[in-house]
Amino acid sequence: MTLPTSDKVLELLYDRPEGFFGLAELAAAAGLDRKRLGAAIAAMRDDGYELESSPAHGLRLVRPVKLNARLIERDLGTRRVGRNVICFDEVDSTNDVAWDSSRQAGCDGLVVLAEFQRKGRGRFGREWLSPPRENILMSVLLADDSALLAHDALTIAAGLAVAEGVEASCGLACELKWPNDVLLDGAKTAGVLVELKGSAGRRHVVIGIGINASASPPADKVDARATCLADRLGHPAERIEVARCVLRRLDERVYLIEKRELAELHTAWLARCGMLNQRVAVLAGGARHVGRVLDVSPLEGLVLCTDDGRTLHFPAKSSTLA
Ligand code: BTN
């Protein structure tokens, strides 16, 4: 595949995270003369990429880098997730863009990212707030005609993929909170919103993922403590690398869910949540249920032994911890 010249230059600069590229070296590596290199650099700046020029050292791409579909999808090595990636500066909601694309042939595995959402949504109709260019706002569209992708399984798989992806890319240890929260030191840093439409024969799933990379929502706009990766790292995270790691993990989990191999998902999730046998309060259908957690299962959701001795199942879609 021949890349547009500015994409080629972007890739070369991105792949040298530690330093500058001499202009002569960059032109040679991109196969461009100096005039066309100058045009490619100008096009990148127009497109919003921040480049630092040094007369002595050449050119450097300032990190973290604006989201770029090609940088996310190249050599991703996944089966389905990330087959196609599109990045927008601004949308209403990446989940909505994914849903719009579900009418198109070959949409399976599409990943939609945006630098800003005008109407980002969280669970239970809540707003998902994120300032422009700071965080990861992404949605994965999957065709699920055989209806094998259960809502509970996808919710916990996506949370786990985020936790593992953050760990792999940033070295930060994440915990999970039922059903869809990813926490760092007890503060929420990411959330997952799984939506399903259609029924067996023609069904699609959209997995929306919001990760606070460099900015947390204002404390007065959320009901739980929030944090972001940069606060824990002491420097900004490279969102492209975080997104790639999450997509790889999600792809593996989706594959296993379809094959009904759920044992590892089950144990891996439990190992990160510390909820087994804990006494919790669950909110579901306007009621509050208190009891001991017997299980969190990919197909049955949260299983609670209530204080009055009943065993209740709470699906991810309609329950939350108090
Ligand atoms: C939650 O914790 O309530 C779930 C939040 C999910 C937010 C993401 S951001 C990308 C995608 N698009 C949306 O509108 N929502 C999800």
Side-chain angles (χ1 to χ4, degrees):
M1 186 180 75
T2 318
L3 287 178
T5 50
S6 52
D7 285 3
K8 178 72 192 155
V9 175
L10 177 65
E11 272 190 20
L12 287 162
L13 290 168
Y14 184 81
D15 290 339
R16 189 169 288 190
E18 300 309 331
F20 284 85
F21 232 118
L23 289 182
E25 185 194 3
L26 184 58
L32 300 174
D33 59 30
R34 289 294 279 269
K35 192 170 165 211
R36 289 176 65 216
L37 176 63
I41 292 169
M44 285 168 64
R45 286 200 162 109
D46 281 352
D47 209 12
Y49 294 94
E50 209 183 322
L51 296 162
E52 183 185 342
S53 299
S54 149
H57 301 107
L59 203 64
R60 183 180 80 87
L61 189 58
V62 176
R63 318 274 157 160
V65 177
K66 182 187 173 196
L67 295 173
N68 175 278
R70 163 86 192 142
L71 293 179
I72 292 172
E73 73 190 3
R74 70 181 174 150
D75 303 326
L76 197 55
T78 50
R79 293 179 174 88
R80 290 169 75 178
V81 173
R83 242 182 224 164
N84 278 309
V85 177
I86 39 178
C87 294
F88 293 90
D89 283 337
E90 191 173 325
V91 296
D92 278 348
S93 154
T94 53
N95 272 30
D96 290 343
V97 177
W99 281 120
D100 289 345
S101 307
S102 67
R103 288 188 282 268
Q104 290 164 16
C107 63
D108 181 57
L110 174 75
V111 176
V112 180
L113 293 107
E115 293 284 6
F116 180 66
Q117 297 184 127
R118 290 178 292 261
K119 294 182 191 163
R121 61 177 176 272
R123 297 177 75 231
F124 303 119
R126 290 194 281 249
E127 258 187 305
W128 184 262
L129 294 169
S130 173
R133 293 180 298 280
E134 301 283 7
N135 293 330
I136 299 173
L137 309 165
M138 87 179 161
S139 299
V140 177
L141 172 66
L142 296 169
D144 182 34
D145 291 345
S146 318
L148 286 168
L149 299 174
H151 193 284
D152 285 299
L154 281 178
T155 302
I156 69 172
L160 193 56
V162 172
E164 292 172 341
V166 165
E167 202 155 291
S169 54
C170 304
L172 295 170
C174 299
E175 313 109 55
L176 294 165
K177 181 179 165 205
W178 172 261
N180 72 323
D181 290 354
V182 181
L183 314 176
L184 285 168
D185 298 325
K188 179 160 173 168
T189 195
V192 167
L193 176 68
V194 174
E195 298 175 331
L196 278 96
K197 283 187 195 169
S199 48
R202 183 161 170 72
R203 192 170 100 134
H204 289 93
V205 169
V206 170
I207 304 165
I209 296 172
I211 305 175
N212 300 336
S214 286
S216 314
D220 60 337
K221 299 280 185 195
V222 286
D223 45 18
R225 215 156 51 82
T227 189
C228 64
L229 305 181
D231 281 356
R232 304 286 140 169
L233 285 169
H235 59 82
E238 187 58 74
R239 295 177 300 163
I240 289 173
E241 293 312 308
V242 178
R244 281 166 62 81
C245 287
V246 172
L247 294 173
R248 286 199 182 109
R249 298 301 190 291
L250 184 62
D251 186 70
E252 284 164 26
R253 303 277 175 203
V254 166
Y255 176 71
L256 292 175
I257 294 173
E258 276 207 318
K259 294 210 311 172
R260 279 289 181 265
E261 286 180 22
L262 303 172
E264 193 270 338
L265 170 63
H266 190 185
T267 48
W269 205 91
L270 285 176
R272 281 179 190 268
C273 81
M275 278 173 67
L276 266 196
N277 290 317
Q278 297 300 305
R279 207 159 167 278
V280 299
V282 182
L283 302 176
R288 190 170 190 270
H289 306 267
V290 180
R292 190 168 54 83
V293 176
L294 297 179
D295 197 6
V296 178
S297 137
L299 294 179
E300 299 190 296
L302 179 75
V303 188
L304 192 76
C305 175
T306 61
D307 286 353
D308 57 7
R310 291 173 300 152
T311 300
L312 298 180
H313 292 79
F314 296 99
K317 192 173 180 182
S318 52
S319 63
T320 197
L321 289 188

